[in-house]
Amino acid sequence: MSAGDDLQERKPLSEEDAGRAYFYALIGRLFYGAPDSILLTQLRRAEAEPMEGGAPLDRAWQSLRDACRSANPEAVDGEHGSMFVGVGRSEVTPYTSHYVRGNSPDRHLVRLRERLEQLGLVRRSAAFEVEDHVSGICDVMRVLIEDAHPLSEQSLFFKEFVDSGMTPFCEAVATATSAKFYRCVAEFARAFLQVERQAFEMHEAEA
């Protein structure tokens, strides 16, 4: 996703928001395509503690770093292809509209496109995936954080389009029979989304 042409100069992000934006970008990147050897090395060398979030997130982050240490790039690429791309039908669909309850996938996608238009975000012309792909949803949250959209706006998008689709998607990945490396990715994403959910709930309670 990309913002419109009339963006104001960005203000420096807090350490917490920079960490949030980074993890949305990382999760989106890992689900979009298998990590290459460079990214695997970067994650192996990453700091032991990701950000304030508690023990579940710390454990999930450590498990992901451990998985990167033992990962073979070719094997991970094959796992990604069989799980999310496949020949004919993938084991787990990465399109979040598939997981949303109480609305048809088509209507949910229309609502997502309407919301993106309201936010002034447009799909990149070179983008291959549909807007409700997990990586695209993560990219929107990254942009909302980096462009300092109000927390109320971030929370609204999170509830309607992130948590509603990504959490059950992560559960599907974590329980998939062929998931190995991506089970760790899904568990980390799920732990991170839990921290986000709790933070938004606290903000609403204090408002």
Side-chain angles (χ1 to χ4, degrees):
M1 300 293 171
S2 61
D5 295 329
D6 56 343
L7 282 178
Q8 297 180 351
E9 184 178 354
R10 292 177 178 175
K11 297 179 181 179
L13 291 178
S14 67
E15 184 176 351
E16 179 183 359
D17 280 345
R20 293 175 61 220
Y22 170 74
F23 282 122
Y24 274 115
L26 175 62
I27 292 166
R29 166 64 183 83
L30 291 173
F31 281 125
Y32 185 78
D36 56 19
S37 58
I38 295 175
L39 180 54
L40 288 172
T41 299
Q42 290 174 340
L43 292 175
R44 291 179 196 130
R45 297 174 178 174
E47 294 182 4
E49 295 183 1
M51 55 185 285
E52 292 185 6
L57 181 60
D58 290 343
R59 289 195 298 268
W61 177 241
Q62 183 61 53
S63 295
L64 178 58
R65 293 170 66 237
D66 290 343
C68 289
R69 290 190 181 95
S70 59
N72 178 288
E74 292 184 359
V76 174
D77 183 63
E79 180 182 338
H80 180 276
S82 64
M83 288 199 64
F84 307 118
V85 183
V87 177
R89 183 176 181 179
S90 59
E91 184 174 358
V92 179
T93 179
Y95 298 99
T96 56
S97 294
H98 173 80
Y99 302 94
V100 176
R101 300 291 179 263
N103 207 350
S104 70
D106 289 344
R107 293 182 67 179
H108 186 76
L109 182 56
V110 168
R111 175 59 188 147
L112 171 60
R113 287 170 173 166
E114 291 174 348
R115 185 70 183 123
L116 293 177
E117 185 176 357
Q118 293 169 2
L119 292 170
L121 299 175
V122 296
R123 183 183 179 193
R124 295 190 183 101
S125 58
F128 173 75
E129 302 292 354
V130 182
E131 292 90 337
D132 66 332
H133 191 281
V134 169
S135 62
I137 295 298
C138 286
D139 200 34
V140 173
M141 281 301 298
R142 176 190 61 79
V143 171
L144 294 181
I145 296 167
E146 291 181 343
D147 289 352
H149 285 248
L151 277 177
S152 58
E153 202 168 79
Q154 295 180 35
S155 177
L156 183 62
F157 188 86
F158 179 85
K159 286 181 180 178
E160 190 169 3
F161 300 108
V162 183
D163 199 22
S164 62
M166 280 193 62
T167 295
F169 161 77
C170 289
E171 292 171 355
V173 175
T175 57
T177 56
S178 63
K180 295 180 181 177
F181 177 83
Y182 274 95
R183 180 172 290 111
C184 294
V185 177
E187 293 291 3
F188 172 72
R190 185 159 54 175
F192 173 65
L193 293 177
Q194 182 179 0
V195 171
E196 285 282 275
R197 186 186 311 115
Q198 292 171 344
F200 284 131
E201 289 173 353
M202 288 179 60
H203 176 262
E204 291 178 359
E206 295 170 356

